[in-house]
Amino acid sequence: MAEVGIVGVGNLLLKDEGIGVHVIQALEKLEIEGVKLIDAGTSPDFPFFVQGLKKLVVIDAAQMGGQPGVVYKFTLSELELESKETFSLHEIGLIENLKLAQALGGPREVTIIGVEPAEVNWGLELSPILREKFPQILNLVLEEGNALLRTETV
Amino acid sequence: MGQIIIDPLTRIEGHLKIEAMVEDGVVKEARSTGTLFRGFEIILRGRDPRDAQRITQRICGVCPTSHSTAAALNLDSAFGIAAKIPGNGRILRNLILGAAHIADHILHFYHLSALDYVDIGALGKYEGKDPTLNSVKDFITRGELGPFITRYNDDFRLSQEANVELAARYLKAFEMRRKAQEAAAIFGGKLPHNIGIVPGGVTAIATVDKIASFLWRLNELRDFIDNVYLPDVIKVAKAYPDYLEIGAGCKRTLSYGVYELETTEADLVRRKRLFKNGLVSESLELEPLDISKIREEVRNSWYAEECAGKPTEGKTIPTPHKEGAYSWIKSPRSDGRVCEVGSLARVLATYVGGDPRMRELVDGALKEIGVSAKALFSTLGRHLARALGAKFIADSMPAWLLELKPGEPAYIDYEVPEESEGMGITEAARGALGHWIKIKDRKIALYQCVVPTTWNASPRDDHEQPGPIEQALAGIKIKDEKNPVEIGRIVRSFDPCLACAVHLLSPKGTEIGRVQVC
């Protein structure tokens, strides 16, 4: 069974917000072995999808104020919970879900690839900027996946 | 006069904002603002009608199965095959949707609401040997509460022991949601975003293996609902009796009904369904559902006046600077009246409609808690109705599995018509869901969805009647304005869902280790 997973997160109906899902759809065509590909969409069931995996690459749109199309990389431990406020109406967000997955014995090693969106509004296609960057983004995700496959499992 | 604003925009865009004006510790007036601009219909226009089943599932990460069901019913009706779906197709659709609803009920109580009533911090003092509980205890003692962020709250009323027990169930409930999703995927092909439910029926074939595989998961779920979920909700209700009174709101519910019990009736309003349709008011009388009376009003919404009307005529012309408006949500009303939707509405319509099994179930639970049926119109009444709804559907499924005819078709073929109209009304776990379509030149000319949260979180209408959540908050006593737990409990009991529209990751705080890669 695969120990490494690549998860795409986001809403496919909102152009660049769906970058994670677009990446997974492209990877599915490559028939990669030894890696579990997961299109998590915006599902709260995220923690079960990654059960049994040891290492994970997550791709999502990340609004950090950089130029559209810029790609960021972090590990989970480098990210603070988006908010430590104790009162909100929220459902559980991505980072909470990742930590929850860990508490339930899920992947310890998590790399997050964030892509700065250019356009977030209704549409099934990526913006021209992200479409142009797409091959690079895809390669980067593959490199991350490969790096995880090569390293020893902790 | 104080003003409390709970605005989660900092974390997820496209969510709900609640503003409450508080005077002398009492909510005088509340405003619910939906920040989601409803315009995804634009994506569907001009496409092959069959795309609707795939695309509308992406509207919501929590209710994709309900959207696929509404879309399939909508297309069945537009394609003229609503009364021709094979028996196996009808049953398999029920089973896929039912399993998804059970998962959603468990999610709503344990993972979205329980931390309002259960002090998960009690795990910090846990001395037992359960490895998972200890793993969570580690997170908590490291100060890294992570997903277990307790909504700061000094109104926890369960004992240390009960808190630990319910915290353990918080974890067990994850496993149960997974089982329910696996069950749905057996016939749905995959989850989320199933590929099984399509216009014409279901793509999967019922085999003996699949039926057995579904059944053993269902048995585990039924055991959990009977011995854990329902008793836990009752335990919480007993510890927080005031929440069986407050948060009632408009006291009029509306259900479209769900789970088809026959295949030969094309009219969805007249079709026999497990959960009945209709409106129920405080006097516990059932009024028939009349779709032609449903209109969306826009006086307080950021839409041009011409966007008001029946869902089939609904236009989406945004006017973000419209004076006085305060929400992107329209105000759906039935004959001009405010209606709440959700499991409460389904349970009430079925209960008041006289279903013997539902009567026994509801009366039994009410007796155990020691309250009358009117207590259902309340914050914890909504949670109770979800647990009872979960039991009602789970208990109905074994007979459906036996009704399946292994190997027989679950799908019939059809032609996409040149021109047509359709309607698909069903229920998401959180309430009434309707899809409407107009087809021209074999393409989608118009597609409209009216989702449950549109009803529940709607703003004031043309007659300035507040929406259900707004009404539920009016008059509520707030103990601590800085920490209005009462508002959170009440709003969450409606299970509002706009979150799924946008899920941007917007990291805050630390910039350490941020690497710009390309």
Side-chain angles (χ1 to χ4, degrees):
Chain A
M1 213 180 119
E3 289 188 341
V4 175
I6 303 181
V7 193
V9 180
N11 193 322
L12 200 56
L13 305 185
L14 290 163
K15 294 194 176 172
D16 295 350
E17 216 282 318
I19 179 72
V21 180
H22 285 281
V23 166
I24 296 299
Q25 289 181 344
L27 291 177
E28 276 169 350
K29 291 180 191 137
L30 299 180
E31 296 179 21
I32 303 164
E33 275 178 35
V35 176
K36 187 175 173 189
L37 299 175
I38 303 160
D39 162 10
T42 54
S43 170
D45 297 331
F46 189 92
F48 336 135
F49 303 153
V50 298
Q51 253 179 16
L53 296 171
K54 298 219 161 65
K55 299 180 245 182
L56 207 61
V57 184
V58 180
I59 311 113
D60 195 2
Q63 212 158 38
M64 298 186 65
Q67 288 289 315
V70 160
V71 179
Y72 313 102
K73 178 178 147 185
F74 351 72
T75 61
L76 184 54
S77 50
E78 286 162 351
L79 274 180
E80 262 182 49
L81 275 183
E82 290 166 42
S83 159
K84 288 208 168 167
E85 80 201 30
T86 48
F87 192 85
S88 89
L89 289 169
H90 281 263
E91 301 192 18
I92 297 167
L94 173 66
I95 298 170
E96 286 103 324
N97 258 325
L98 282 166
K99 297 218 170 187
L100 185 56
Q102 288 191 335
L104 295 170
R108 309 304 304 173
E109 250 178 275
V110 181
T111 305
I112 298 161
I113 306 280
V115 181
E116 187 78 39
E119 286 180 51
V120 177
N121 52 44
W122 301 109
L124 286 164
E125 276 103 44
L126 293 171
S127 65
I129 297 176
L130 258 61
R131 240 178 295 162
E132 199 195 308
K133 280 250 176 184
F134 194 74
Q136 269 173 281
I137 297 168
L138 204 60
N139 267 332
L140 197 83
V141 173
L142 280 171
E143 273 170 32
E144 282 308 317
N146 272 326
L148 289 184
L149 277 175
R150 276 195 305 268
T151 54
E152 289 286 311
T153 303
V154 255
Chain B
M1 183 148 80
Q3 186 178 22
I4 298 171
I5 299 178
I6 302 170
D7 184 355
L9 263 173
T10 49
R11 281 168 67 199
I12 300 172
E13 295 181 43
H15 213 300
L16 192 64
K17 179 170 93 174
I18 300 290
E19 275 181 51
M21 304 301 286
V22 181
E23 203 172 83
D24 301 328
V26 175
V27 176
K28 219 174 156 224
E29 180 184 300
R31 278 171 187 260
S32 147
T33 297
T35 49
L36 166 68
F37 164 51
R38 209 178 98 184
F40 61 86
E41 291 91 353
I42 296 161
I43 296 177
L44 289 160
R45 205 173 297 144
R47 285 183 171 270
D48 187 312
R50 290 167 294 191
D51 287 352
Q53 190 275 348
R54 306 283 298 141
I55 292 172
T56 58
Q57 287 200 60
R58 293 278 176 174
I59 293 171
C60 175
V62 184
C63 343
T65 319
S66 303
H67 276 292
S68 75
T69 303
L73 291 170
N74 189 19
L75 296 174
D76 286 351
S77 98
F79 298 166
I81 50 168
K84 293 177 185 161
I85 307 302
N88 271 8
R90 167 183 71 83
I91 296 168
L92 290 176
R93 280 181 181 176
N94 284 350
L95 292 168
I96 298 167
L97 183 64
H101 278 186
I102 290 171
D104 201 347
H105 290 315
I106 296 173
L107 163 77
H108 178 234
F109 180 67
Y110 286 99
H111 302 129
L112 302 179
S113 307
L115 297 189
D116 284 341
Y117 304 96
V118 177
D119 182 7
I120 204 156
L123 274 184
K125 289 179 243 156
Y126 177 67
E127 298 291 342
K129 291 207 168 96
D130 184 287
T132 318
L133 285 184
N134 277 314
S135 146
V136 176
K137 181 185 170 181
D138 286 350
F139 267 78
I140 291 174
T141 44
R142 284 207 305 268
E144 194 179 359
L145 281 162
F148 305 106
I149 281 186
T150 308
R151 289 122 188 180
Y152 164 71
N153 187 337
D154 57 2
D155 182 35
F156 287 131
R157 307 181 200 166
L158 296 164
S159 65
Q160 161 77 15
E161 213 179 10
N163 277 321
V164 170
E165 191 183 38
L166 270 133
R169 273 134 181 215
Y170 180 101
L171 299 168
K172 176 78 182 164
F174 271 104
E175 200 185 319
M176 288 299 125
R177 272 168 57 198
R178 183 165 57 83
K179 300 255 173 187
Q181 302 284 30
E182 282 170 8
I186 290 171
F187 298 119
K190 73 187 237 317
L191 252 274
H193 313 122
N194 84 83
I195 46 173
I197 298 174
V198 292
V202 169
T203 55
I205 294 287
T207 61
V208 176
D209 281 1
K210 283 185 178 171
I211 294 170
S213 166
F214 192 99
L215 186 61
W216 76 258
R217 286 178 175 85
L218 176 62
N219 287 341
E220 257 189 277
L221 289 165
R222 290 181 70 196
D223 183 54
F224 180 79
I225 293 168
D226 288 352
N227 298 312
V228 180
Y229 178 21
L230 188 53
D232 279 353
V233 174
I234 291 174
K235 189 184 288 172
V236 168
K238 283 180 175 168
Y240 295 85
D242 43 334
Y243 282 89
L244 281 166
E245 290 169 18
I246 64 171
C250 62
K251 294 186 183 172
R252 183 181 297 102
T253 62
L254 179 146
S255 159
Y256 286 158
V258 62
Y259 303 119
E260 326 299 288
L261 298 180
E262 61 176 339
T263 40
T264 49
E265 174 59 66
D267 181 349
L268 295 180
V269 177
R270 283 191 304 183
R271 184 180 285 181
K272 219 176 141 213
R273 287 176 156 178
L274 178 70
F275 285 93
K276 295 180 196 302
N277 66 26
L279 283 76
V280 176
S281 58
E282 203 185 359
S283 58
L284 295 184
E285 279 159 49
L286 183 65
E287 179 190 318
L289 173 70
D290 185 347
I291 296 289
S292 70
K293 287 184 179 159
I294 294 174
R295 281 186 88 252
E296 293 189 288
E297 302 179 359
V298 296
R299 182 169 178 172
N300 288 297
S301 317
W302 287 302
Y303 296 104
E305 287 310 315
E306 63 207 272
C307 298
K310 291 180 183 171
T312 40
E313 294 154 5
K315 290 182 188 158
T316 311
I317 305 164
T319 52
H321 304 295
K322 181 169 157 183
E323 206 173 321
Y326 63 95
S327 184
W328 284 115
I329 299 179
K330 296 181 181 179
S331 305
R333 298 289 185 259
S334 174
D335 208 8
R337 295 166 306 169
V338 182
C339 300
E340 169 181 345
V341 300
S343 188
L344 175 62
R346 292 194 288 279
V347 166
L348 279 174
T350 314
Y351 175 80
V352 177
D355 182 281
R357 199 154 54 85
M358 184 60 95
R359 290 208 77 93
E360 198 188 322
L361 205 62
V362 172
D363 288 338
L366 293 173
K367 197 176 157 205
E368 199 184 331
I369 301 170
V371 288
S372 76
K374 295 207 169 147
L376 288 168
F377 293 98
S378 69
T379 309
L380 283 173
R382 286 184 196 99
H383 286 290
L384 182 63
R386 290 200 69 153
L388 293 169
K391 178 164 169 53
F392 192 62
I393 170 67
D395 287 353
S396 306
M397 288 161 110
W400 293 344
L401 282 165
L402 291 175
E403 252 185 88
L404 283 169
K405 298 191 176 84
E408 288 198 12
Y411 172 86
I412 55 149
D413 221 346
Y414 54 82
E415 293 250 333
V416 177
E418 195 62 42
E419 205 161 302
S420 187
E421 287 186 14
M423 172 179 85
I425 48 170
T426 183
E427 293 268 326
R430 48 171 58 81
L433 173 66
H435 284 200
W436 284 265
I437 190 171
K438 280 187 184 165
I439 299 172
K440 261 192 193 141
D441 304 325
R442 294 205 172 87
K443 296 274 187 286
I444 297 174
L446 179 129
Y447 204 101
Q448 283 282 350
C449 306
V450 179
V451 302
T453 301
T454 320
W455 289 90
N456 288 338
S458 62
R460 282 157 176 73
D461 55 32
D462 291 1
H463 296 93
E464 295 299 322
Q465 300 180 92
I469 290 179
E470 294 177 335
Q471 290 193 31
L473 291 173
I476 294 301
K477 286 197 188 108
I478 304 292
K479 225 167 83 188
D480 174 4
E481 283 186 31
K482 289 194 187 69
N483 179 33
V485 286
E486 299 87 352
I487 294 179
R489 284 172 176 162
I490 292 168
V491 175
R492 261 190 283 273
S493 72
F494 284 91
D495 197 9
C497 180
L498 300 167
C500 304
V502 185
H503 248 244
L504 279 177
L505 180 67
S506 6
K508 278 208 319 196
T510 173
E511 294 250 328
I512 309 158
R514 167 180 154 180
V515 180
Q516 192 168 315
V517 193
C518 75

